[in-house]
């Protein structure tokens, strides 16, 4: 694959832009995004910019049900398309030099740099602006605190290089903000209240009402300003949905005029609606008391602590190193598990495309990473999130006239809010991933209490859905599932998608196993409470035992869906370069009829249920399907990397790793300007840990089988596994494991091994012989 | 089937509403629509009405490319959704009694009646309004002239019953008109010019520009007013997009004050843009010179002439009689073939739903009717229409990356303008119907010159499309067609729809036959001109010979599509009454996965290619598919009625006839308020002529096999066949044929018979023995 666009220097810990990319401004803005779980923003400039850009700042959990846009609405279509909404601009600071506005699009700019320090979560800009021969050197530092997530901090400094004059700063709050992707160009916000004083202002905005019963949100941004320098005048102003301070300072050649802007963003998700400004002011008072330097240190310490548990070090491949860190940085900026009401949006806080906050990506790709890189409570929150939305899932099934629970493809509340029928009520395999996540969480953590507290209720809802969604084909004596879309969205409305059917079968079996376990472990009451009868179990048993799983005897592969083998089959290599990516160059008609696969489909099943297939089965299916796969979903390469690694196809595994790790850094899919591919960022971590290092956790047993990609000298990562913090280092011809925690039995290259209490263990690569 | 809503009295020639249906106002407006091919309107009131209604007046060929509304636009999706646009209101006349506005929604109304006289194409209203105890009797007559199609005439008369006072008429032109179904609530019109004088006004409106390269239209309405009575004052007024005259007349008890409003509607489709007002005034001057009574007579004579050629008389069943006449009336109001640039929109001039002007309905259902009920030039215009749009059809195929010509599902210009992918590039069977219409036209009329003049070019484009759209399945050694939607739109994106495949095969064969015919008849140049090579013919030959046509050996039926028999099959009468119609009560998911069939699919093929299947084949397939058919397309019952008639299932045939004939009259589908089902109105005619009378024309041979439905005493219809005007009367136990024209050999009940020159022929029903 060609590198599409690399605007940034390769660096271990930083994303560095050393020239102003006016033509790729949106792409650079996406890449320079920061967030702290509570809120986040694209890498917009504080000051005025008259070129093309996309101002975007988003608050976790604050969304709007935009009216659906479909050609012809039919029963069962979702009523609205929920979207993350662009909210109050608390970032803005206009800057004037002797009354002339600084505008990096029009002004002469020298010594420009923008750096995102991923280690500390700080965005920094330096640049010199020349206006009428007056040169001014600027330095801007910005962070969204991970110590106090309602706090944003900006330090904006200006030094006249060759003149004496005046610098004017106009820090402001602007509530007149719209989504670029509003379906009907509507404004989602209205002003609730506003106040302005010297060095301070506060604005409260509320989302407009809606006919869908979706919640209305109230958010407030309060700002407090500090000026360092010779202030000449301060003038507070306000108008509808907008408040500012015009602060003019005498600026002496070589001396810095500095403005600190502290903003507190509070919402009625966390506080009473009427107390938002008061709460914001309290946060500002408390935090600014500590001073800028202390706030910055607290924030940096927070990020360092995250890295301590989660960093992956790669020696010998700076690009790969930068890639994995960028991905972890952006993931943690989006979600660090503090709030069980939140989930991991596909674009995080970096853009607007897609809508919704929650996709099956979370269960399929993100959960394993959070299980291993953070405290168990965080992964638990991700699974509890779905339990909290069970009512919405029942609603979705009812909308289709079906029993049980259908988890949504896209949602904020559990209620489906996407808008393509071939996705919303056909891509139902997501239900399988949500059931699987329960298994994954319980199996990884050993937290079996989860099953009666939350797990069984969700599993029962999903199993009831599958049981109603299949139909019995009397002549063939099998259960079939018609009208689905598998993970490969390049094929819509197919029958008997193997992956969907196998995950439905798996769910039914796992639910029955869970019922059995709870019965035997003192939780029979839970089973009764859910009304699970022996007749229902029998029905599930019958469906699971007789589920139709398409298989081709001749090629000995599972068949993606009923008529897949009737297509004209050919490898993706036979495509002309100008045809790729096909989703940008081909008609949807041609794509749907082609054999080309967007992302793992049969192979997704072999990844999830990895312990249930022989190596030979995996190899045959990989060799059959991977060549037809175009990997045009950002979620595709990692699954193939992991399976390739397992099958000893090291080069393929490495190729796929690079595609996932630097997807946005190198803009592989030519769409990073719309925002980052947040949920797929887990792919690079999965490729290293489950791929190169071969980590598996089936049957409550941790195992590894590491190899080192040829281009790398070594790699090191940490995982949290139950009460162990384990470091895995693969270097040269050896693999070294060490841990903090009690003695642990595990498997290395398939052989039993023991990692001593707080001890170490080394072995030669591809051999479990302890050295 | 239950009668949904019957607001109107049963009458042979009229639609009579004898009370004001405020709750069903839109439904009544749809039913009272009138049109003259050039323009048409819903049955709106001239005067003010403050209740719910849908003002709609439309001009043939004047449309707007509304921005598409799709969830996620993909390559190959049409850029815009073209729609018939609501245009200048030239109908309106406000009426005041002693300064108080007449409003039938609020006022006390007595002796209300609204009558649509279908025989003469006149809409008439009578009602008495009581305001402050003052009673005024109104009488309003309206027609859109079929003698001068640019002319609309209204006679509005008011008689004070119990007082002396003043009547004020405010006839106006209003250009500030919007479509109710605008995707983004946009206004499509802007004012071009306006002028007002005493007793006259003129307004020119222009459609707004668009980024799609679609045409911009300019239309003008000019009005001329005549007042009969004691005029007190006349005051012309105008504002933006609006012009009127306020005309006050002294009104004496028992004496009529009468206002005549003549409107001329001219467009730049017919005249230079700058001359529209002048042309309109010229029309008004020329026409009004004749006087109201003469204009009315001319208009009535035009309608009587149409009926002379096309009327169907039914004795013994007044409902059926009213049904067939209503359908013919509305069809001829929509299209009478004068303009080859026009086609038959699915709602004609009676509503806005659906968009577009041209569907495959025209070729599949309307063409046979126009072939038999009007001069050959009219049917020829319908087929030439598609030839004129061949370029658009090539464009549509290119948009999908395919060769040849893909005629659109919905269009104004040949370019596809619908907005659901499962329809636009999947429901491609329409291409087959367009090819079939060429065969139908040439076979019926004997106009073989059509083949080299127009036919072959269209057939070649369509055959090239089919040849590129199929793919070869080497192992099964057949050509397949994946990713289509058949006529049964309750199943989307299926593989190897039998109907689509068989029509593609048929097209290829017919194209090859046509090539052969032209070669042998001195038109080899045409073949060269189109670049048809012997290699291409061989390829077509190979595809036609090896087209995959799914067939089930066990049931001996053609299979609707590859996996149809894997569905849970059950007859529609097992559905609960509350589930029907399923498209209003079921989710789309449930509908797609069900076996239920919206309209003839396999059976549509057996209808078109009726001479190619044995009676046994027809019976088996009818008995297999009809029970699963829910007939929720207005196009469904007639095909089943015809096949049932052929198979001797007389009751089924009659049941299906009634459903098609009174679909709107009895509001079967509960959606007539949106407008009438114009294109499906051909169904009742087809059911009588091809069904009950068994008319066939295959192989240039006219044949009949009439029976009489039990409930009827007799039926009589006329058909134009080549140079014969034939009357068919089935009465009691006999059938009588008579004609104007030369001797004609035909078949009666399968036996040879001769209809003498300008002579008669009788036979007993079900026997060809001439009596």
């Amino acid at each position: 694959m060609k590198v599409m666009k690399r605007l940034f220097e390769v660096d271990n810990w930083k994303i560095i832009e050393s020239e102003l990319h006016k033509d790729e401004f949106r792409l650079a803005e996406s890449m320079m995004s920061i967030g702290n779980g509570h809120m986040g923003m694209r890498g917009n400039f504080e000051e005025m910019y008259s070129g093309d850009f996309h101002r975007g700042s988003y608050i976790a959990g604050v969304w709007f049900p935009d009216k659906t846009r479909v050609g012809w609405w039919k029963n069962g279509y979702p009523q609205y398309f929920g979207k993350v909404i662009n909210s109050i601009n608390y970032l803005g600071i206009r800057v004037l030099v002797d009354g002339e506005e600084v505008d990096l699009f029009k002004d002469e700019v020298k010594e420009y740099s923008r750096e995102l320090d991923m280690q500390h979560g700080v965005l920094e800009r330096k640049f010199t602006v020349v206006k009428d021969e007056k040169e001014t050197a600027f330095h801007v530092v910005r962070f969204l605190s991970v110590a106090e997530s309602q706090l944003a901090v900006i330090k904006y400094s200006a030094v006249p290089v060759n003149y004496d004059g005046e610098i004017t700063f106009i820090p402001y709050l602007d509530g007149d903000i719209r989504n670029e992707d509003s379906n009907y160009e509507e404004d989602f916000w209205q002003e609730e209240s506003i106040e302005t004083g010297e060095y301070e202002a506060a604005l409260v905005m509320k989302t407009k009402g809606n006919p869908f019963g979706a919640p209305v949100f109230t958010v407030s941004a309060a700002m407090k300003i500090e000026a360092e320098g010779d202030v000449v005048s301060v003038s507070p102003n306000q108008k509808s949905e907008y408040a500012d301070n015009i602060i003019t300072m005498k600026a002496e050649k070589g001396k810095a005029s500095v403005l600190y802007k502290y903003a507190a963003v509070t919402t009625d998700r966390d506080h009473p609606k009427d107390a938002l400004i008061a709460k914001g002011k309290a946060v500002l008072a408390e935090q600014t008391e500590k001073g800028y330097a202390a706030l910055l240190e607290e924030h940096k310490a927070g990020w360092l602590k995250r890295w301590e548990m989660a960093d992956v070090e790669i020696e010998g491949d700076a690009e790969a190193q930068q890639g994995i860190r960028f991905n972890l940085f952006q993931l943690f900026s989006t979600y660090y598990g503090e709030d069980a009401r939140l989930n991991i949006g596909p674009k995080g806080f970096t853009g607007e495309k897609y809508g919704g906050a929650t996709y099956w990506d979370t269960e399929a790709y993100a959960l394993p990473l959070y299980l291993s890189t953070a405290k168990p409570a965080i992964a638990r929150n991700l699974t509890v999130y779905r339990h909290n939305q069970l009512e919405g899932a029942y609603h979705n099934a009812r909308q289709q006239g079906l029993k049980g629970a259908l988890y949504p493809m896209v949602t904020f509340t559990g209620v489906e809010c996407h808008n393509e029928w071939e996705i919303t009520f056909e891509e139902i395999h997501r239900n399988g991933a949500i059931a699987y996540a329960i298994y994954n969480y319980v199996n990884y953590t050993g937290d079996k209490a989860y099953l009666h507290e939350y797990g069984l209720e969700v599993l029962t809802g999903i199993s009831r859905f599958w049981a109603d969604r299949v139909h019995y084909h009397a002549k063939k004596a099998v259960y079939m599932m018609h009208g689905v879309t598998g993970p490969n969205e390049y094929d819509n409305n197919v029958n008997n998608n193997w992956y969907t059917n196998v995950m439905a079968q798996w769910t039914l079996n796992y639910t029955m196993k869970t019922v059995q376990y709870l019965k035997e472990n003192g939780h029979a009451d839970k089973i009764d409470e859910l009304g699970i009868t022996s007749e229902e179990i029998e029905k599930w048993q019958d469906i699971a035992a007789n589920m139709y799983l398409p298989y081709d005897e001749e090629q000995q592969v599972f068949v993606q869906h009923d008529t897949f083998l009737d297509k004209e089959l050919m490898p993706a290599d036979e495509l002309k370069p100008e045809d790729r990516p096909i989703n940008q160059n081909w008609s949807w008609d041609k794509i749907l009829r082609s054999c080309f696969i967007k992302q793992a489909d049969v192979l997704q099943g072999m990844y999830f249920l990895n312990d249930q297939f022989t190596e030979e089965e995996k190899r045959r299916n990989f060799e059959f399907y991977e060549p037809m796969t175009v990997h045009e979903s950002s979620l595709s390469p990692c699954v193939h990397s992991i399976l390739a690694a397992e099958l000893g196809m090291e080069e393929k595994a490495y190729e796929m790793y690079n595609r996932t790790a630097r997807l946005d850094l190198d803009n592989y899919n030519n769409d990073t300007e719309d925002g980052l591919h947040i949920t797929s960022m887990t792919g690079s971590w999965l490729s290293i840990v489950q791929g190169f290092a071969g980590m598996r956790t089936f049957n409550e047993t941790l195992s590894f089988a590491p190899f080192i990609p040829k281009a790398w000298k070594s790699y090191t990562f940490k995982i949290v596994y139950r009460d162990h913090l384990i470091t895995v280092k693969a270097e040269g011809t050896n693999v070294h494991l060490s841990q903090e925690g009690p003695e642990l039995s595990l498997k290395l290259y398939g052989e039993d091994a023991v990692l001593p209490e707080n001890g170490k263990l080394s072995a030669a690569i591809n051999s479990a012989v302890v050295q």
Side-chain angles (χ1 to χ4, degrees), chain A:
Chain A
M1 272 308 281
K2 60 182 184 289
V3 169
M4 304 290 290
K5 253 164 229 148
R6 180 181 293 180
L7 307 185
F8 313 98
E9 292 168 29
V10 174
D11 181 278
N12 279 347
W13 276 111
K14 287 182 175 168
I15 307 298
I16 302 169
E17 182 193 38
S18 48
E19 57 175 303
L20 182 57
H21 295 98
K22 292 184 188 177
D23 293 341
E24 297 290 349
F25 202 76
R26 285 172 179 246
L27 172 56
E29 281 180 322
S30 295
M31 293 299 299
M32 296 293 178
S33 296
I34 57 174
N36 68 2
H38 173 66
M39 58 189 176
M41 55 172 65
R42 291 167 56 80
N44 303 127
F45 290 175
E46 281 80 358
E47 66 283 352
M48 203 273 238
Y49 184 78
S50 62
D52 177 60
F53 74 113
H54 182 206
R55 215 208 64 72
S57 114
Y58 309 92
I59 302 168
V62 174
W63 62 279
F64 191 80
D66 204 7
K67 286 202 297 277
T68 305
R69 198 158 70 174
V70 292
W72 196 295
W73 197 90
K74 302 190 182 82
N75 290 327
Y77 282 17
Q79 297 275 356
Y80 58 82
F81 184 74
K83 49 188 58 162
V84 171
I85 43 176
N86 207 339
S87 61
I88 305 180
N89 174 2
Y90 54 85
L91 169 75
I93 303 173
R94 291 171 56 200
V95 181
L96 289 75
V97 171
D98 283 344
E100 297 282 319
E101 181 134 23
V102 170
D103 174 355
L104 269 62
F105 183 69
K106 289 185 179 154
D107 294 339
E108 186 191 337
V109 179
K110 304 202 296 190
E111 290 143 20
Y112 172 89
S113 77
R114 175 159 55 173
E115 289 188 9
L116 176 61
D117 175 351
M118 304 185 285
Q119 193 169 24
H120 304 104
V122 175
L123 181 65
E124 202 166 345
R125 287 191 300 141
K126 290 180 184 163
F127 50 93
T128 298
V129 168
V130 187
K131 288 180 95 76
D132 300 332
E133 296 182 0
K134 282 177 264 187
E135 294 188 15
T136 316
F138 291 96
H139 183 192
V140 192
V141 178
R142 177 201 310 174
F143 61 93
L144 301 178
S145 174
V146 295
E148 167 49 83
S149 66
Q150 297 173 112
L151 183 70
V153 179
I154 300 160
K155 179 183 177 184
Y156 206 116
S157 151
V159 179
V161 176
N162 60 356
Y163 68 96
D164 295 333
E166 273 185 359
I167 302 285
T168 302
F169 293 107
I170 311 178
Y172 63 88
L173 301 172
D174 183 7
D176 184 16
I177 299 296
R178 291 180 184 223
N179 271 46
E180 280 202 351
D181 69 344
S182 163
N183 278 343
Y184 297 88
E185 287 165 32
E186 287 171 340
D187 186 355
F188 303 148
W189 293 103
Q190 59 199 38
E191 185 188 294
E192 188 75 358
S193 71
I194 190 162
E195 53 178 74
T196 319
E198 281 191 6
Y199 296 109
E200 62 178 20
L203 173 61
V204 182
M205 300 293 298
K206 196 171 115 176
T207 59
K208 290 186 175 166
N210 66 78
F212 309 114
V216 162
F217 294 99
T218 308
V219 309
S220 162
M223 72 174 178
K224 188 172 168 190
I225 305 301
E226 289 171 4
E228 249 173 40
D230 188 356
V231 175
V232 179
S233 66
V234 181
S235 144
N237 306 282
Q238 73 181 48
K239 56 180 185 181
S240 168
E241 304 189 342
Y242 175 91
D244 71 20
N245 264 219
I246 301 175
I247 299 172
T248 300
M249 298 163 88
K250 200 166 270 173
E252 210 176 296
K253 188 164 88 180
K255 233 186 90 183
S257 299
V258 183
L259 187 98
Y260 297 92
K261 181 180 186 182
Y262 301 94
V265 176
T266 53
T267 84
D268 65 348
R269 296 179 65 254
D270 302 311
H271 310 291
K273 201 156 58 172
D274 299 335
L276 293 184
I277 289 186
K279 180 65 196 172
K281 285 183 172 176
V283 167
L284 289 174
E286 190 189 335
Q287 297 294 319
T288 55
E289 175 114 357
K290 299 177 191 171
Y292 171 79
L295 290 174
L296 179 57
E297 279 318 304
E298 272 183 17
H299 169 71
K300 286 180 167 181
W303 270 103
L304 288 171
K305 211 170 146 198
R306 293 175 174 191
W307 288 115
E308 229 169 73
M309 218 181 271
D311 188 28
V312 178
E313 278 180 82
I314 298 169
E315 285 184 301
D317 187 340
E319 292 183 14
Q321 176 68 78
Q322 187 183 33
I324 180 72
R325 284 190 176 137
F326 182 67
N327 291 342
L328 289 169
F329 173 75
Q330 289 292 352
L331 274 166
F332 293 164
S333 296
T334 302
Y335 184 83
Y336 204 66
E338 290 94 344
D339 185 344
R341 297 168 302 173
L342 298 178
N343 210 285
I344 309 162
K347 297 240 164 272
F349 302 116
T350 74
E352 291 167 17
K353 218 177 156 186
Y354 291 112
T358 315
Y359 287 62
W360 72 296
D361 307 21
T362 297
E363 282 74 16
Y365 302 95
L367 182 69
L369 179 144
Y370 284 97
L371 273 172
S372 293
T373 60
K375 293 180 191 136
I378 291 174
R380 197 178 214 260
N381 272 350
L382 280 176
T383 54
V384 169
Y385 177 91
R386 294 293 192 175
H387 181 270
N388 291 343
Q389 298 193 344
L390 185 56
E391 200 184 312
Y394 271 96
H395 167 88
N396 298 333
R398 273 196 308 273
Q399 291 298 100
Q400 306 308 328
L402 289 164
K403 292 178 190 147
L406 172 60
Y407 277 93
M409 196 64 193
V410 175
T411 195
F412 289 94
T413 62
V415 172
E416 179 63 71
C417 67
H418 191 52
N419 56 5
E420 294 177 297
W421 65 268
E422 59 271 28
I423 304 293
T424 54
F425 59 71
E426 296 225 317
E427 203 174 335
I428 54 177
H429 66 76
R430 62 202 183 233
N431 246 7
I434 284 152
Y436 185 79
I438 295 170
Y439 160 77
N440 204 0
Y441 168 75
V442 173
N443 175 68
Y444 192 98
T445 61
D447 176 13
K448 294 213 169 56
Y450 188 84
L451 290 173
H452 68 263
E453 285 174 19
Y454 299 105
L456 183 65
E457 201 171 339
V458 170
L459 290 170
T460 302
I462 295 175
S463 287
R464 285 175 174 162
F465 176 81
W466 292 131
D468 199 32
R469 186 59 167 71
V470 296
H471 71 273
Y472 188 63
H473 193 294
K475 209 152 84 190
K476 299 183 181 167
V478 291
Y479 287 91
M480 291 188 164
M481 191 138 38
H482 275 194
V484 304
T485 295
N488 169 31
E489 291 170 332
Y490 286 178
D491 223 332
N492 291 159
N493 191 42
V494 301
N495 295 333
N496 295 313
N497 171 254
W498 180 85
Y499 172 74
T500 306
N501 286 14
V502 84
M503 290 306 293
Q505 179 190 52
W506 179 90
T507 307
L508 292 166
N509 283 327
Y510 182 58
T511 305
M512 290 186 285
K513 241 184 252 171
T514 302
V515 166
Q516 193 58 30
Y517 171 83
L518 293 180
K519 213 176 267 174
E520 289 164 4
N521 288 273
H523 292 290
D525 53 332
K526 190 72 202 172
I527 298 156
D528 295 341
E529 188 192 304
L530 294 172
I532 304 170
T533 62
S534 55
E535 291 73 35
E536 187 164 33
I537 300 262
E538 264 169 51
K539 177 76 186 159
W540 292 348
Q541 180 56 50
D542 187 43
I543 296 169
N546 298 294
M547 180 69 85
Y548 174 54
L549 298 172
Y551 184 75
D552 183 62
E553 290 294 343
E554 193 183 322
Q555 321 235 25
Q556 298 195 49
V557 294
F558 301 114
V559 180
Q560 194 168 290
H561 61 79
D562 273 352
T563 56
F564 184 79
L565 297 182
D566 281 347
K567 291 184 177 227
E568 203 175 341
L569 304 182
M570 64 175 83
D573 299 354
E574 284 185 17
L575 288 168
K576 284 176 249 153
E578 63 266 30
D579 286 343
R580 302 189 70 171
I582 59 173
N583 70 15
Q584 288 178 16
N585 296 294
W586 276 14
S587 71
W588 190 233
D589 171 50
K590 213 166 161 181
I591 289 173
L592 286 179
R593 289 188 291 117
S594 82
C595 69
F596 300 114
I597 301 170
K598 184 184 182 192
Q599 71 185 91
D601 195 300
V602 167
L603 298 181
Q604 184 76 36
M606 309 207 103
Y607 165 66
F608 275 156
L609 311 180
N610 193 266
D611 60 330
Q612 303 189 10
F613 301 100
T614 65
E615 194 188 317
E616 197 40 41
E617 283 175 320
K618 290 175 204 172
R619 187 178 306 279
R620 271 198 308 268
N621 283 279
F622 189 92
E623 286 174 353
F624 186 77
Y625 286 109
E626 197 283 331
M628 292 188 277
T629 306
V630 289
H631 304 295
E632 292 178 10
S633 161
S634 58
L635 299 169
S636 186
C638 68
V639 172
H640 292 87
S641 181
I642 294 164
L643 289 173
E646 183 181 351
L647 296 169
M649 304 168 176
E650 298 186 3
E651 273 182 41
K652 184 54 121 183
Y654 183 66
E655 175 203 331
M656 290 286 121
Y657 167 81
N658 271 333
R659 245 180 108 148
T660 186
R662 295 188 60 88
L663 180 78
D664 286 316
L665 272 166
D666 294 336
N667 195 12
Y668 271 112
N669 286 5
N670 196 22
D671 61 359
T672 295
E673 61 176 42
D674 296 333
L676 304 173
H677 298 83
I678 295 295
T679 40
S680 67
M681 286 184 163
T682 56
S684 50
W685 185 90
L686 291 168
S687 298
I688 293 173
V689 174
Q690 299 187 350
F692 305 159
M695 182 173 99
R696 298 287 184 278
T697 54
F698 292 103
N699 305 312
E700 306 195 40
T701 304
L702 185 64
S703 71
F704 294 98
F707 77 91
I708 305 176
K710 277 200 194 101
W712 295 7
K713 246 177 80 186
S714 78
Y715 61 91
T716 310
F717 62 86
K718 289 179 178 169
I719 61 153
V720 179
Y721 181 73
R722 303 196 170 185
D723 43 1
H724 313 271
L725 176 60
I726 301 168
T727 304
V728 178
K729 178 166 190 163
E731 183 176 33
T733 54
N734 295 306
V735 54
H736 308 284
L737 275 66
S738 60
Q739 71 145 328
E740 292 166 34
E743 185 180 283
L744 175 66
S745 296
L746 46 73
K747 298 230 178 212
L748 203 51
Y749 301 109
E751 304 293 325
D752 293 329
V754 174
L755 185 56
E757 184 177 345
N758 296 322
K760 294 181 183 182
L761 167 67
S762 293
I765 297 260
N766 285 322
S767 149
V769 180
V770 178
Q771 295 174 311

